[in-house]
Amino acid sequence: MNPLSLHEFHHSLGAHFSDLNGSEIVAHYGDGQAEYQALRESAGVLDLSFRGRICLMGNDRARFLHGQITNDIKKLRPGEGCYAALTTAKGKMESDLNVFSLQDELLLDFEPGLTEKISQRLEKFIVSDDVQIADAAPHYGLLSVQGPKAAQVISAVGLANEGGLEKERSIVKISDPTLGEIYLANLPRIGTNGFDIFVPTQSLGAVADKLIAAAKSIGGWLCGWTAFETARIEAGVPRYGVDMSEANLPMECGIDHAMSFNKGCYIGQEVLNRVHTTGHVTKELRGLRLADDLKSLPRSGDKLFHDGKEMGYITSAVKSPTLKANIALGYVRREANQISTELILKTAEGESSAKIVALPFVK
């Protein structure tokens, strides 16, 4: 397991650790309800340094990446970013990506455990292009502030003075004589407000201290993965490796904002444009309101039925404190995936109801 560089820092704050795709994460700090409330009502500070980060450098980096992923990279100016998918020649997902255009490089942020896979996939197609790929994770950590008052935390620590962060996934460089070059991105991850802070590894602890103090001053706190995942599922945000996989086309996952259908050629483009032209896919990710009296939540892969026929399966499930309900994300075939459709969920414990609802989940 790849340890967090701030392991001792988190340990001193009462962290309970877990594993995600071979990387160490903080599961919680001992009070999951308080952490969840911070994300929902004020601001939560998270250490996301377990996520993958690579940089593309060289004069051909934008043209090259434009031909590899689903969104339009050529139109990005320095300081702008976008969401995209990396797909196979058959249009199936290999990863989702946050792409940031910096002055001299492109920064890619993605789920943990995929650095080698993504780097090798990209390197495979570098022929005579002036493109170099570097793993940024050993040099830069990733802290995040999420929640309705996230901007107040960023302002309180003096990171929002540069401007230029009005658009989602916009990014600015902040040069600090003590902390080094910090990159601040506007990136809401759970449907409210949010910022990611890419920090030189040697300055991670100092910046984390500042963010935690600022969050505490407005009723926020440090947050672990358990609270974050609960808020993510409530927001209806799919996660690669759980709700998205190599079995999925991007359109099935509800991530149309990761795609451009007029950008020209890229790997998988022919298949995906053909699907887009036909106007539908065979299954789509849906929000599901589950029965209130479940003894335990369904597991990933548990089946959904309609009129006696198998119609889909669960990917994520959680008991929502906000909704006071059991909710889930899952794929449902288009014959039965309209809002308000009643399905039957079959688990090892028996059968129960599951109703399709709009995303994000609301009271």
Side-chain angles (χ1 to χ4, degrees), residues 24-214:
E24 183 179 61
I25 63 171
V26 176
H28 60 86
Y29 293 90
D31 190 345
Q33 181 59 31
E35 295 168 37
Y36 170 83
Q37 287 179 335
L39 288 172
R40 277 284 167 245
E41 299 173 9
S42 54
V45 178
L46 302 110
D47 186 352
L48 302 183
S49 297
F50 54 83
R51 289 180 61 85
R53 295 175 293 289
I54 61 174
C55 283
L56 270 61
M57 299 162 288
N59 292 330
D60 298 331
R61 63 188 183 277
R63 181 188 60 76
F64 170 76
L65 190 62
H66 187 82
Q68 295 293 317
I69 64 177
T70 58
N71 216 335
D72 193 332
I73 301 303
K74 287 184 178 179
K75 73 177 183 180
L76 294 181
R77 296 174 295 180
E80 295 181 334
C82 69
Y83 181 57
L86 187 71
T87 57
T88 67
K90 295 183 178 181
K92 296 300 180 72
M93 297 271 296
E94 289 190 287
S95 177
D96 65 339
L97 307 162
N98 293 305
V99 181
F100 302 101
S101 178
L102 309 181
Q103 190 63 45
D104 299 308
E105 54 201 336
L106 292 168
L107 171 62
L108 279 57
D109 159 72
F110 44 85
E111 289 292 318
L114 299 178
T115 298
E116 183 176 359
K117 171 187 171 182
I118 292 173
S119 297
Q120 288 179 351
R121 151 65 199 271
L122 295 176
E123 286 169 351
K124 176 182 176 181
F125 291 95
I126 297 175
V127 183
S128 58
D129 308 276
D130 178 16
V131 178
Q132 300 84 46
I133 299 173
D135 185 0
H139 311 289
Y140 269 78
L142 174 56
L143 302 174
S144 189
V145 183
Q146 301 291 322
K149 298 181 181 179
Q152 293 176 232
V153 174
I154 296 300
S155 295
V157 298
L159 291 177
N161 300 329
E162 303 288 326
L165 286 170
E166 294 76 20
K167 291 175 61 177
E168 190 169 312
R169 289 184 176 81
S170 56
I171 188 168
V172 296
K173 182 173 78 172
I174 300 162
S175 297
D176 185 278
T178 303
L179 302 174
E181 292 185 349
I182 294 172
Y183 292 87
L184 174 65
N186 179 341
L187 185 50
R189 291 184 178 270
I190 53 172
T192 53
N193 298 318
F195 296 87
D196 277 6
I197 309 105
F198 298 90
V199 183
T201 303
Q202 67 272 16
S203 300
L204 262 182
V207 175
D209 272 333
K210 293 175 180 288
L211 293 172
I212 293 166

Side-chain angles (χ1 to χ4, degrees), residues 294-330:
L294 292 178
K295 293 181 180 179
S296 61
L297 291 168
R299 295 183 177 185
S300 177
D302 281 345
K303 305 300 185 183
L304 296 162
F305 292 80
H306 185 257
D307 288 342
K309 297 179 181 179
E310 184 178 323
M311 283 293 165
Y313 56 93
I314 299 291
T315 58
S316 295
V318 72
K319 185 173 182 61
S320 166
T322 296
L323 300 171
K324 295 180 174 57
N326 298 313
I327 59 173
L329 298 176

Side-chain angles (χ1 to χ4, degrees), residues 15-26:
H16 295 249
F17 298 95
S18 187
D19 171 271
L20 183 66
N21 281 359
S23 296
E24 183 179 61
I25 63 171
V26 176

